[in-house]
Each structure stands twice: as C-alpha cells, then as structure tokens.
Amino acid sequence: MRIVNTEQIGECVYRLARRAGLTLTQDCRAALRKAADRETGAANFALGKILENEQTAKREGLPVCQDTGMSVVLLSIGQEVSLVGAPLGEAVDDGVRRAYRDGYFRKSVCDPLTRENTGDNTPAYLHVDLVEGDKIEVNYLPKGFGSENMSRLYMLTPAQGREGILSAIEETVRLAGSRPCPPVYVGVGIGGCFDSCALLSKRALLREIGSRHPRADVAAIEEEALVRINALGIGAQGFGGKVTALGVSCEIAPTHIAGLPVAVNIQCHCVRREKEVL
Amino acid sequence: MKELNLPLGEEEARGLSAGECVLLSGTIYTARDCAHRRMFELLDRGEPLPFDPNGAIIYYAGPCPAPAGKVCGSCGPTTSARMNVFAPRLLDLGLGGMIGKGEMSEETRAAIVRNGKVYFAAIGGAGALYGTAIKEMECVAFPELLSEAIYRLRVERFPAVVAIDAAGNTVYFR
C-alpha cells in the first residue's frame, strides 16, 4: 500500500492549472500553423492573430484566453494507493483556488440561479476512476464555455447506426457555426449511458489532435467526421474557410441493446490541457 | 490595414465593409450577460445607463484580473449571440456598435442596418493580445460583478474584422 497525502494532489493540480492557462498544447499549435497555411483573407488574419497571441501571452505572462475556464480534473487513482489528509475534493479545490489567484486567472464559476460568482473558480469538476497499480494520473483541462455551450448529447436509436453518429457530429458543428471559436477540436463519446457518454466525449479531448483510435472502425469515423465538418466551410472564427475543425477524437464504451448515445463535446481552438503522473 | 478612431462618425461607419480588417483606437465599454441584465433593469425603471450610449461601443468581454504593473489581464471577446436579446434596444438608443465574436441574429442585424451602425468581430481566443492593446481601464459600474462589471477601456490599435456592416452585409459564412 502506498500512502499519498491529498495535499500532493492539490499541489499537482495547482502546477498543472498554472501551466495550462498560459500555453496552448503543442499538438494544437502545430494544427493551427497548418490551418493558417491553408487559409486566406479574414480566416488567415484570425489564425495569424491567434498564433501571435500565444507569443504575447508567453512574453507578458498572461493567460492565452481570458476564459480560463471551468476546471475539469480527471484523476485515475491506482487502487493500491491509500489517501490521507484533507478530503480529496477539498484538496483539488484548494489547488484550483490558489492557481486562479496566483495566476491572475478569471474566476468564471457562479451559482446557476443567482449567478453569484463563487469568487475563486471552485468547485472544480472532479471525476475519479480507480485503476490498477499505485500511481495517480492527474489530467487538468480548463474548459471555456463558448465552446461548451455548443456541445450536444444525442440519444440515437440502434437503427440510426454509423450514419446517425456522423450526422450528429456534423450537425453539432454546423449549428455551433461561428460561436464556439472555430477551428474547433471535437471530442465524441459513443455508447455508455446518458451521463457516461458525455464524460467519454470529454475524455476524447485529452487525446492529441490528429491521433487515431486503436480500433479501425472508430478511427474511420474520426476521419470521415473531420472531412464532413471541414466541408461545411465555416472556417476560423466563422469567417469561411477550409479548416472548421482541427481534429475529431472518439471514445467508445458498450451501451444498452436499445440505445446509441452520442455526445459531442466542442473544444475551442485554444486547447489547453496538462497531465502529470504521481 | 485601415486604422479607425472611436467613436466613429456616421459617414465613417457607413464606409466600412464586412470582411475588412481594421485597427481600432479610442474608448470602448465592456459589458456581458450580467451587466446587460442590470442595464436593462435601469432602463425599465427609467434611470440613466452608467455611460452615455450615444455613439458608444460595447465590447462583449470579461477580462482576467490585471497582474501587478499591468493595466489589464487577458481580455478577448466572448460569444456575442448571447447578447442578441439586448443589442437591438441599445442600438435604437444610439449605441455606436458592438465588438464581440461570432454571428448575431437577424433582429440584431436589422437594428444595425436601421441605425447605420457596425458590429466588429475581435478574434476569439486572442485574450493576451487584446489585453496588451488596452492602455487604460476603469470600472464604471457594478464592481460586485467582478470580471462581468462594466469597464471603460482606452484601446490602441485593437485588431478586429468588420463582421456586420451598416448595409447589413456579414463576414460570416452561411
């Protein structure tokens, strides 16, 4: 049994959150550069400013985007680990609270009814999986809501099948149009149940842009969906262009014989994610 | 690239075409969801707005806090579509235009045309770049809303694209 104080997890969340707010992921930067080369006019202007922005953020020590997001923390905890110290949720929130204060990040979390800001970006959305081993994997994803608002969940019928899945992905991006800050990164969950399907779609966003699912039939859906999305012509910021999405990643799970849940989680072009294994 | 000083003159506004890339300098006011709701409560009670809407430009944005020694933190645009329920009435009150990101509704477009105003798109996700284009910043209303308060900003060479022009043309792909 390995003993870990939750304070260490809180410290890790703090480090990851501070880093994530200030930089794009490398795969995102590479995809944006490729997109800029393919576009002209206003879309090219937008992509140029987006790439210039990351340099400015680095030079000035400012967050790349003012929407420093809701803090999504996905933990995989080895079941040979025994946690001691403050309750896990409190430790994670403490890391978020300090990171948003010290990083001069925007506090973007509020009560859904009164709209009163919690003032420190907590609570984080924390999800924990128990896995084998004695390690702890910490994934941190600050999720902006311009794109989150454009995400959708479909409860398809088995008869709708593969074409239904592709249509759902395409429809979500088409309806989102210019609003989620395209070019977007599309995370798709296929299967599971109503809520686990949505979580799968968020997990898909943890994958590198351009990576392919190990299952050939799933990888084929990723590729075909990307082609169909980019044929929409929405382009960077909705200004029209060839690149509406930087990538599509799908995750799957077995589902009920009566259903085919599909969740489409939209991520803006400002892909920020960090990971560490303790 | 065309450089524009705010507020825009009437002829100047009418001379802009959708798709043009411009640099904006002058005074703008931040307001997003909550601040708009508060402003509408004031209007409904017959009270004045925290700033004179005549010719003023609203920037749909909520900045990050300013680190020590800086005027403003990251401050890119938020999604304008959420403000469709507010924009037409403000334009009819004389608002000079808006800056945000993404398409706006037919109702907003119609209000832009009938008042001869303009909607600019700032580049979403370029918050650090916009933060450094802000040279002065002062809270003018609702400080309790934190980043959602109304701030008066003086911006210099703020990059934007004419998204809906006074004739109703848009840059957006349909």
Side-chain angles (χ1 to χ4, degrees):
Chain A
M1 190 64 78
R2 179 182 170 214
I3 311 267
V4 174
N5 194 304
T6 55
E7 199 183 314
Q8 266 180 272
I9 299 174
E11 265 310 311
C12 179
V13 167
Y14 175 82
R15 279 195 300 278
L16 299 185
R18 289 288 308 266
R19 256 203 321 262
L22 299 179
T23 42
L24 302 178
T25 60
Q26 211 216 315
D27 53 313
C28 172
R29 189 181 309 119
L32 286 169
R33 282 196 185 130
K34 247 165 70 183
D37 288 342
R38 294 181 62 194
E39 302 289 22
T40 56
N44 177 270
F45 174 76
L47 289 162
K49 289 294 168 202
I50 287 163
L51 288 164
E52 184 188 336
N53 176 66
E54 202 199 3
Q55 297 304 312
T56 308
K58 199 170 165 187
R59 191 182 65 233
E60 303 285 334
L62 292 174
V64 276
C65 180
Q66 76 292 334
D67 189 351
T68 41
M70 225 177 138
S71 299
V72 176
V73 179
L74 303 178
L75 295 180
S76 298
I77 303 181
Q79 57 189 14
E80 287 163 41
V81 173
S82 176
L83 296 177
V84 298
L88 181 60
E90 277 180 29
V92 166
D93 281 350
D94 185 59
V96 168
R97 183 177 297 118
R98 290 186 298 113
Y100 277 65
R101 179 197 64 200
D102 296 352
Y104 293 92
F105 294 174
R106 194 178 78 185
K107 288 73 179 173
S108 308
V109 176
C110 69
D111 182 278
L113 297 179
T114 66
R115 310 305 298 180
E116 191 182 338
N117 199 300
T118 63
D120 59 7
N121 220 58
T122 70
Y125 167 46
L126 172 63
H127 182 83
V128 180
D129 282 311
L130 288 178
V131 297
E132 65 174 345
D134 65 354
K135 301 277 189 283
I136 300 172
E137 184 182 293
V138 184
N139 282 287
Y140 183 84
L141 183 77
K143 192 66 178 69
F145 252 58
S147 57
E148 194 75 356
N149 278 338
M150 299 295 118
S151 304
R152 296 171 86 87
L153 180 76
Y154 295 79
M155 298 304 283
L156 301 180
T157 62
Q160 287 175 285
R162 186 179 189 276
E163 177 50 34
I165 296 168
L166 286 163
S167 299
I169 301 169
E170 184 186 329
E171 180 180 74
T172 301
V173 177
R174 180 172 56 75
L175 293 175
S178 60
R179 288 172 288 175
C181 268
V184 293
Y185 180 34
V186 185
V188 182
I190 303 170
C193 56
F194 185 76
D195 50 338
S196 70
C197 184
L199 181 58
L200 279 176
S201 71
K202 191 147 264 118
R203 268 192 200 297
L205 296 175
L206 297 179
R207 287 201 5 228
E208 275 194 18
I209 296 170
S211 64
R212 281 291 157 258
H213 195 277
R215 244 178 77 170
D217 54 349
V218 181
I221 289 176
E222 293 172 341
E223 280 165 24
E224 196 173 330
L226 182 60
V227 170
R228 283 173 63 161
I229 289 168
N230 285 338
L232 291 171
I234 295 166
Q237 300 289 306
F239 295 159
K242 300 184 187 84
V243 187
T244 298
L246 301 170
V248 178
S249 293
C250 302
E251 290 296 322
I252 64 164
T255 188
H256 190 277
I257 50 174
L260 177 55
V262 176
V264 187
N265 198 186
I266 305 282
Q267 163 70 55
C268 64
H269 62 71
C270 195
V271 181
R272 297 155 290 178
R273 64 170 119 72
E274 292 289 336
K275 174 177 142 177
E276 207 173 298
V277 178
L278 297 173
Chain B
M1 208 176 313
K2 197 181 267 186
E3 299 226 13
L4 299 172
N5 287 311
L6 303 174
L8 294 174
E10 199 181 322
E11 283 312 303
E12 210 171 9
R14 289 189 187 280
L16 295 169
S17 310
E20 259 184 285
C21 302
V22 296
L23 294 170
L24 306 174
S25 298
T27 297
I28 59 178
Y29 295 88
T30 67
R32 42 180 293 155
D33 312 67
C34 262
H36 274 85
R37 230 169 49 194
R38 297 276 189 98
M39 287 196 288
F40 272 52
E41 284 166 13
L42 292 174
L43 288 175
D44 290 344
R45 289 200 300 264
E47 292 172 31
L49 293 177
F51 60 91
D52 180 2
N54 239 311
I57 304 271
I58 288 184
Y59 181 26
Y60 299 138
C64 284
K70 295 204 187 301
V71 173
C72 184
S74 279
C75 191
T78 195
T79 308
S80 306
R82 295 196 312 274
M83 267 55 79
N84 279 323
V85 288
F86 305 113
R89 185 171 172 191
L90 292 175
L91 286 162
D92 289 341
L93 283 173
L95 194 74
M98 301 85 70
I99 307 171
K101 73 173 173 82
E103 294 141 277
M104 297 199 75
S105 65
E106 267 313 296
E107 290 74 17
T108 302
R109 196 177 70 96
I112 288 170
V113 173
R114 97 177 145 255
N115 292 291
K117 305 299 185 197
V118 57
Y119 165 53
F120 295 100
I123 309 305
L129 203 65
Y130 287 111
T132 57
I134 294 164
K135 303 304 176 189
E136 286 172 34
M137 175 176 182
E138 186 195 354
C139 183
V140 295
F142 319 134
E144 65 281 9
L145 296 181
L146 307 175
S147 71
E148 291 202 81
I150 297 182
Y151 296 95
R152 183 192 295 117
L153 308 177
R154 187 174 65 77
V155 298
E156 270 176 24
R157 310 190 83 223
F158 176 111
V161 173
V162 178
I164 304 177
D165 64 28
N169 303 306
T170 94
V171 68
Y172 293 107
F173 179 82
R174 295 278 156 129

